[in-house]
Amino acid sequence: LDIPEARADKTEDYMRNIYGKIVNLPRPSFSQFVDYLLRTKVENYNFFWLPYWLHCHFCQHGFQVVGRVENILEDTDYIQEVTGLAKENTQFPWTNMKNTVSDVSLQYFKNVDRQKIEQLHQIYRIDFEMFGYDAGQYLIMDNKQN
């Protein structure tokens, strides 16, 4: 794959050239993505996959409320009430309108063996603890070795 070196002045033609080279490449499966994460040093993760606690400086701020995407509507209602913003009729048009109850992430993880899930959890453990997530349902999955 011959991709020119990244540069600050990415023109539309440049981006079309790059996209044209990768658009038809097969996408990795979720299990393959997990393998990539596990064989890559955490300090070499890109911004999106880096454990949040390593770059958020969460603990340096005196937050009184921490909202979560899963509860964005309820959290927003609460924040509006305690701050007086409810009078302003603030809305988030981008909130998840699907309102699904099924856990899509469990479907992704069903093809990842338990040892890999445990290794991945160790990488992101502090994030789970900071934001009150429970990895238990993933750690007890009885997946076959891949």
Side-chain angles (χ1 to χ4, degrees):
L1 190 62
D2 181 25
I3 297 178
E5 190 173 322
R7 55 184 191 219
D9 61 334
K10 295 180 178 131
T11 64
E12 186 174 335
D13 288 339
Y14 169 81
M15 294 308 291
R16 272 182 220 219
N17 182 27
I18 298 298
Y19 183 73
K21 292 179 183 198
I22 64 171
V23 69
N24 292 321
L25 292 176
R27 296 179 68 120
S29 68
F30 183 73
S31 183
Q32 290 170 326
F33 175 65
V34 169
D35 289 342
Y36 163 77
L37 290 174
L38 294 178
R39 73 173 177 267
T40 303
K41 291 182 178 180
V42 173
E43 59 266 21
N44 293 331
Y45 285 9
N46 72 25
F47 177 82
F48 299 103
W49 312 124
L50 193 65
Y52 195 69
W53 71 271
L54 288 173
H55 63 89
C56 78
H57 308 291
F58 184 75
C59 300
Q60 295 176 0
H61 302 283
F63 293 110
Q64 295 177 358
V65 176
V66 176
R68 293 171 32 170
V69 174
E70 297 86 347
N71 315 24
I72 189 102
L73 294 176
E74 295 88 354
D75 292 346
T76 302
D77 288 345
Y78 174 75
I79 292 168
Q80 287 175 332
E81 287 302 317
V82 299
T83 61
L85 289 173
K87 295 177 264 183
E88 304 295 325
N89 195 20
T90 307
Q91 294 182 351
F92 291 101
W94 43 264
T95 55
N96 186 352
M97 299 298 183
K98 292 181 183 177
N99 198 20
T100 60
V101 293
S102 65
D103 197 346
V104 175
S105 62
L106 287 173
Q107 293 300 313
Y108 281 103
F109 277 97
K110 75 178 182 181
N111 295 317
V112 178
D113 70 63
R114 185 176 177 164
Q115 180 183 4
K116 290 178 182 179
I117 294 172
E118 289 171 358
Q119 291 173 312
L120 198 59
H121 180 250
Q122 284 307 307
I123 293 170
Y124 293 99
R125 183 181 51 80
I126 294 174
D127 287 357
F128 274 78
E129 292 171 2
M130 268 181 28
F131 297 105
Y133 290 107
D134 179 16
Q137 60 187 339
Y138 302 97
L139 296 172
I140 61 170
M141 293 178 77
D142 187 23
N143 300 333
K144 295 179 178 144
Q145 294 288 330
N146 293 333

